[in-house]
Amino acid sequence: MLSFRADHARARDAVLTKVSEEMIEETGLTSIQSRVTDQDEYLARPDLGRQISDETEARIRDECTLNPDVQILVCDGLSSTAVEKNVPNLLAMLVDGLEERGFEVGTPLFVKFGRVDVMDEIGKTLGATSVVNLIGERPGLHTAESLSAYLVYEPHPDKPTAKKSVISNIHVDGLPAVEAGAQIIDLVERMHDQRGSGIDLD
Amino acid sequence: MSQTTPPTLTSVGIDIGTTTTQVIVSELTVNRSGIGAVTVDIGETTVVYRGAIHETPLVDRHTLDTDAVRELVESELEAAGYSASAIDSGAVIVTGESSYKENAEELVNHIATHTGEFVVAAAGPELEAVLAGKGSGAAAWATKSHETVLNVDVGGGTTNMCLFSGDDVVETRCLDVGGRLLRFDETGQVTHISEPAERLIEIRGLDIAVGTRPTDTERRRLATAMTELLFDTIEGPPLSSVTDSFTIGSSEYTGKTVDTVVFSGGVGRLISKREETNDESEFAFGDFGVILAAAIRQEIDRRSLRVRHPDEDIRATVVGVGTQTTSFSGATTHIDESLLPLRNLPVVEGSTITADHDYATIVSELQGCFEQGCELYELDETSPFVLSLPSISPLDYGRIKALARALGDVYEQYFTSECPRIVLTRQNCGKALGQQLHSASNANTPLVVVDEVVASDGDYLDIGEALGSGQTVPVVVKSLAFGS
């Protein structure tokens, strides 16, 4: 029972605390926000977490690299802890590794109150060929530090979820962040080779 | 996920020395532990059959008579009551002339057709030094007591020293000093003098020659001269130029203070037994061993050196090999598939990479490992071997990158670009390290990075062809088992 309460407390912390400004700054992420305005709305209105406002659209069109091969997003999702623990390592590895293989990587964005599918709208707005979304997983009873990477080729809001690829369980006792980075790089390459993601991949 | 390993393995150890060959059959218990990276330990070793000591059959000084050795092995197995098919694994260890090695591999192909996993190990002076220290219990004592223990194996032709500190082999030092450098008949007449002894006699201006009966004083002066070389080496630099000229290979001397010394080997046994010697027994073995042992003992007493008795005074004999058909590697590896399968690769263990290691410290650690590995296994710049990295902590991008860059550079320093880089990691980071190592290496350099497998110094590894989508490979870790 005590262990359950401890897990529950960790889960609450992970869900309710925010990703720190320092981390966003140190990792060189450009910060934007979904249509959600506060934590309660984030939990109550998942639909708003998948959208960005017209102003935000205009802003990213203005500030970000357009038509990149790969657009990387980081969302706090349901675990800010997961983002804090894994993203600094993963992001650096990912950007270096993708560029080394000749991909043009877009301006990495941090999406406050972002849900998984926000990647479709942002990817379409920026004209990205593929999008990688690193998002904190719903905390479980084992760890609150687990991150997932969702990947999509040719993002579009109408694309079914089955066409997304996912690498999950990224945390220190699961798939270490650096190894996840290496897997994502290989997966992006496969997606671009085969021009698809999710169920479209061999 | 993994194939099961029988709880007990029947293993043969074939020990081919310069002069003698022996076959030993033993039952080994293999313990496995760990989730993910499986660690293999040889539990109990029971020698069930110890064959007679045969003279090593040779065609000439450099070539084994493989047919004769095979017959010898077959007849010994028969005598032991085992058929070839009942043997799960085995090890052939060749000491002395390293040029037997190629020959010995051919031998194994003969023997191993109907048996399990075999390992051929050619032991140069450095590996002999390590084996001696394992056999005498010096290694175990260093682990247990956390002391720095120097094993001094004084044999017939050479003295091989190995410094153990905690779990690590620190260095080896080899010297042309031994009990059989001079031979006598029972009357004390010199029948043979080997080159190093001849040289020492000349340097010291002693009156000892073949066909003569040197006086007690002359013999003692020679023994003292040898003892001085020995202690000069034990103490480390600065070495006298004479000691230097009797040093074999590139002996190493770190600044570590030796806590305890263990004397093993034929002469070592005479030192520890502290028998009273008199003129009759001096020539009991027809050599210089008794006299040399007495001189060494005297020097030990004079210096009040901390000496620990060896558990076994003869060389650690290989009794077989425990094999572990491991679970497959982790699902994420980085592999040039054209290299597979790879067999019987010696394992060189790297050091743990911790948070305070930067590029420069990793480079110097790796250089140390590579140099030790090259000497132990007599690797040249094209020999493939496995570098096993025990732990990288913390597992972050900067560290992986620094490690890969250091690996790339150090490999390039010691090995040709065509020589495959084969790296094992304990943690799940094979793909990450592989990608980084690929960037840090020549584009044509073949790479195999396998994760979640643990192997240690002295193990041998087989890596099979990739399975499934080419991401996992079967790995067999073979650990030599030593008995006494």
Side-chain angles (χ1 to χ4, degrees):
Chain A
M1 187 59 200
L2 266 180
S3 135
F4 170 77
R5 291 186 62 142
D7 282 329
H8 185 245
R10 264 194 288 275
R12 282 181 61 91
D13 282 349
V15 172
L16 299 175
T17 53
K18 292 176 191 135
V19 172
S20 74
E21 293 296 328
E22 291 85 37
M23 193 227 93
I24 295 170
E25 206 164 298
E26 274 164 27
T27 46
L29 290 163
T30 300
S31 190
I32 59 169
Q33 194 165 330
S34 71
R35 276 188 194 275
V36 170
T37 51
D38 60 33
Q39 192 62 30
D40 289 339
E41 191 177 53
Y42 180 67
L43 296 174
R45 296 283 307 270
D47 57 321
L48 295 181
R50 298 184 190 115
Q51 298 162 14
I52 49 174
S53 65
D54 296 344
E55 301 87 76
T56 305
E57 260 189 38
R59 191 187 140 207
I60 60 173
R61 265 208 206 93
D62 218 43
E63 292 180 15
C64 299
T65 308
L66 295 179
N67 309 316
D69 292 326
V70 188
Q71 175 63 46
I72 301 173
L73 305 182
V74 176
C75 293
D76 42 7
L78 287 168
S79 173
S80 55
T81 325
V83 171
E84 298 251 351
K85 294 272 181 184
N86 298 293
V87 166
N89 259 316
L90 217 170
L91 189 67
M93 165 112 194
L94 210 50
V95 173
D96 287 359
L98 287 170
E99 284 179 345
E100 206 176 286
R101 297 202 182 181
F103 291 104
E104 190 195 357
V105 180
T107 315
L109 294 172
F110 174 74
V111 189
K112 200 174 178 186
F113 301 131
R115 294 266 172 185
V116 171
D117 291 345
V118 79
M119 66 198 285
D120 296 322
E121 201 162 311
I122 294 174
K124 189 171 154 256
T125 304
L126 294 173
T129 313
S130 66
V131 184
V132 178
N133 187 4
L134 307 173
I135 183 165
E137 281 175 16
R138 187 187 307 277
L141 289 183
H142 174 59
T143 175
E145 295 176 5
S146 190
L147 191 83
S148 283
Y150 286 84
L151 293 91
V152 70
Y153 188 79
E154 287 174 349
H156 195 280
D158 299 334
K159 223 170 191 179
T161 305
K163 298 219 171 188
K164 286 196 174 79
S165 295
V166 64
I167 293 173
S168 60
N169 204 27
I170 304 169
H171 59 98
V172 73
D173 298 318
L175 181 63
V178 284
E179 192 63 4
Q183 283 193 28
I184 295 168
I185 293 167
D186 275 3
L187 185 53
V188 167
E189 192 158 54
R190 270 176 66 214
M191 280 163 39
H192 281 250
D193 283 348
Q194 299 182 26
R195 297 171 178 279
S197 51
I199 53 164
D200 292 338
L201 287 178
D202 292 336
Chain B
M1 154 138 180
S2 64
Q3 273 175 263
T4 49
T5 302
T8 325
L9 293 171
T10 306
S11 188
V12 257
I14 303 167
D15 202 322
I16 303 177
T18 320
T19 50
T20 60
T21 292
Q22 194 179 17
V23 178
I24 288 167
V25 182
S26 52
E27 303 281 348
L28 311 175
T29 343
V30 177
N31 300 328
R32 319 170 26 149
S33 55
I35 303 163
V38 176
T39 316
V40 188
D41 292 315
I42 292 170
E44 252 174 79
T45 308
T46 318
V47 174
V48 290
Y49 176 77
R50 190 184 285 275
I53 294 173
H54 302 268
E55 204 159 299
T56 300
L58 298 174
V59 177
D60 58 47
R61 221 175 88 77
H62 297 289
T63 324
L64 282 175
D65 183 343
T66 48
D67 286 337
V69 177
R70 198 183 67 207
E71 275 166 31
L72 186 155
V73 172
E74 278 168 5
S75 70
E76 286 286 6
L77 284 184
E78 205 174 309
Y82 286 91
S83 66
S85 56
I87 306 296
D88 299 303
S89 67
V92 179
I93 190 134
V94 187
T95 53
E97 295 292 335
S98 58
S99 37
Y100 290 171
K101 192 195 170 192
E102 230 169 279
N103 215 206
E105 267 163 24
E106 190 187 313
L107 169 75
V108 164
N109 291 338
H110 281 301
I111 305 173
T113 335
H114 300 293
T115 56
E117 299 294 340
F118 260 76
V119 163
V120 182
E126 283 86 4
L127 185 55
E128 273 196 80
V130 178
L131 296 188
K134 289 195 172 179
S136 73
W141 179 250
T143 304
K144 198 176 151 199
S145 65
H146 305 288
E147 283 186 2
T148 301
V149 182
L150 182 70
N151 192 73
V152 181
D153 189 68
V154 193
T158 57
T159 295
N160 301 320
M161 302 188 194
C162 185
L163 191 63
F164 297 92
S165 184
D167 289 330
D168 300 324
V169 170
V170 182
E171 66 203 9
T172 58
R173 307 167 185 174
C174 303
L175 200 63
D176 268 325
V177 166
R180 293 222 142 194
L181 294 177
L182 265 78
R183 303 281 185 94
F184 298 91
D185 65 15
E186 62 282 358
T187 69
Q189 182 172 310
V190 179
T191 56
H192 175 80
I193 301 178
S194 298
E195 189 278 325
E198 187 79 70
R199 201 145 45 88
L200 196 58
I201 289 166
E202 206 186 302
I203 291 168
R204 291 299 170 107
L206 301 176
D207 186 19
I208 300 175
V210 173
T212 65
R213 227 173 248 110
T215 62
D216 190 50
T217 321
E218 291 297 287
R219 292 195 307 260
R220 285 187 202 287
R221 282 176 63 194
L222 179 60
T224 307
M226 286 190 188
T227 304
E228 279 170 18
L229 298 179
L230 203 77
F231 277 86
D232 202 12
T233 308
I234 291 176
E235 285 190 339
L239 301 182
S240 75
S241 59
V242 179
T243 307
D244 202 43
S245 72
F246 281 84
T247 300
I248 306 167
S250 52
S251 293
E252 303 152 290
Y253 309 89
T254 56
K256 273 198 193 301
T257 314
V258 176
D259 299 313
T260 303
V261 179
V262 177
F263 284 93
S264 63
V267 177
R269 174 171 54 195
L270 298 175
I271 298 169
S272 0
K273 280 201 174 159
R274 297 192 160 265
E275 288 165 345
E276 282 306 312
T277 55
N278 55 49
D279 278 354
E280 281 98 58
S281 69
E282 258 190 28
F283 308 113
F285 301 97
D287 62 24
F288 199 60
V290 176
I291 308 162
L292 180 59
I296 295 171
R297 190 161 56 225
Q298 215 169 28
E299 191 60 22
I300 293 171
D301 291 343
R302 201 177 67 76
R303 294 173 181 241
S304 48
L305 196 65
R306 221 169 111 198
V307 174
R308 190 183 151 79
H309 279 247
D311 298 340
E312 284 294 336
D313 39 36
I314 54 161
R315 192 170 71 79
T317 319
V318 169
V319 296
V321 62
T323 67
Q324 161 63 24
T325 308
T326 341
S327 40
F328 301 115
S329 66
T332 56
T333 51
H334 185 95
I335 286 169
D336 272 341
E337 288 184 53
S338 59
L339 284 179
L340 304 179
L342 290 161
R343 291 183 62 83
N344 273 329
L345 298 169
V347 175
V348 175
E349 202 177 333
S351 37
T352 301
I353 313 280
T354 57
D356 53 2
H357 281 65
D358 58 9
Y359 167 79
T361 38
I362 301 175
V363 164
S364 77
E365 294 264 358
L366 286 173
Q367 284 170 331
C369 294
F370 279 33
E371 271 163 31
Q372 204 173 56
C374 285
E375 274 177 21
L376 275 183
Y377 302 112
E378 304 185 322
L379 304 173
D380 63 30
E381 54 172 25
T382 60
S383 318
F385 71 97
V386 174
L387 177 69
S388 172
L389 297 172
S391 170
I392 304 160
S393 152
L395 198 55
D396 65 35
Y397 176 49
R399 196 147 309 283
I400 291 270
K401 206 164 151 175
L403 171 63
R405 203 154 60 85
L407 274 172
D409 292 348
V410 178
Y411 265 115
E412 206 60 37
Q413 184 189 343
Y414 291 90
F415 298 91
T416 63
S417 301
E418 291 74 38
C419 179
R421 278 62 163 143
I422 305 157
V423 183
L424 285 190
T425 64
R426 177 190 284 263
Q427 291 142 300
N428 182 1
C429 60
K431 204 182 247 318
L433 184 63
Q435 284 182 2
Q436 294 296 319
L437 185 56
H438 180 74
S439 325
S441 311
N442 193 304
N444 301 320
T445 300
L447 297 182
V448 174
V449 181
V450 173
D451 60 9
E452 296 185 85
V453 176
V454 179
S456 323
D457 270 330
D459 288 347
Y460 287 79
L461 213 76
D462 289 351
I463 302 174
E465 280 169 72
L467 302 156
S469 57
Q471 299 279 330
T472 53
V473 285
V475 176
V476 181
V477 179
K478 299 181 271 193
S479 310
L480 296 180
F482 298 97
S484 47

